[in-house]
Amino acid sequence: GKKPHEITNTSSSTAAGGTSSNEQQVCHENAPHVGVIAMLTHVCLCTQEDFSYLASASRDRTVKLWDALKGICLMTFTAHENWVRCVLFHPSGKYLISCSDDKSIRVLDIKEQRCLRTIPDAHEHFVTSMAMSNKYPVLVSGSVDKKLCVWHCS
């Protein structure tokens, strides 16, 4: 089978987790994150037809959408004012939803390449995690404030 690309921050000497002798490290210098990239659990993969997309969230306050098969950054969203902790794909595949240390949750429109909606004070402290149902229009967010919030999406 085809080996996956590793998309890394080019300021690092090795990819997250390192590379084995039979893997080829692929770095794309056209659009690396400037800051630390959020943990692997905060990176989502969405496959549609012949395309495979990867979304990453970073300490540099950005969310990036990647072509995972080619390892190319397709777009960068700069809506947040602090570290972006988590990003996920909306079940429709049309939006990214991100949360941040700026206490906000944002809906990012992929087609329009802009922030569509913002919940400015979603929590009293940093918003660190999210999960979304594929079956029901519900988003759940977690925070340093030790609370879970359930958001009903329209």
Side-chain angles (χ1 to χ4, degrees), residues 65 74-78 94 108-116:
L65 181 67
L74 302 172
M75 62 190 70
T76 301
F77 296 93
T78 59
K94 297 178 182 180
L108 308 169
D109 187 311
I110 294 170
K111 184 177 178 182
E112 299 295 323
Q113 298 186 29
R114 67 180 185 90
C115 181
L116 182 66

Side-chain angles (χ1 to χ4, degrees), residues 2 10-11 37 42 75 77 95-96 104 107 122 131 144 149 151:
K2 204 173 187 183
T10 56
S11 65
I37 296 173
H42 298 165
M75 62 190 70
F77 296 93
Y95 310 103
L96 293 172
S104 74
V107 179
V144 174
C149 290
W151 307 92

Side-chain angles (χ1 to χ4, degrees), residues 82 85 100-101 103 123-128 142-145:
N82 207 333
R85 294 289 186 153
S100 167
D101 282 1
K103 305 177 192 174
H123 284 268
E124 296 171 9
H125 212 297
F126 302 154
V127 187
T128 56
S143 170
V144 174
D145 64 14

Side-chain angles (χ1 to χ4, degrees), residues 14-34:
T14 61
T19 59
S20 67
S21 59
N22 62 351
E23 290 179 325
Q24 178 184 1
Q25 181 175 347
V26 179
C27 294
H28 297 280
E29 297 181 11
N30 63 334
H33 284 287
V34 176

Side-chain angles (χ1 to χ4, degrees), residues 77 79-80 90 95-99 102 104-110 112-122 130 132 139 151-154:
F77 296 93
H80 284 287
H90 183 274
Y95 310 103
L96 293 172
I97 303 170
S98 59
C99 66
D102 65 10
S104 74
I105 295 173
R106 298 180 192 258
V107 179
L108 308 169
D109 187 311
I110 294 170
E112 299 295 323
Q113 298 186 29
R114 67 180 185 90
C115 181
L116 182 66
R117 291 202 172 97
T118 301
I119 303 172
D121 290 309
M130 296 181 303
M132 186 162 200
L139 173 75
W151 307 92
H152 295 277
C153 307
S154 54

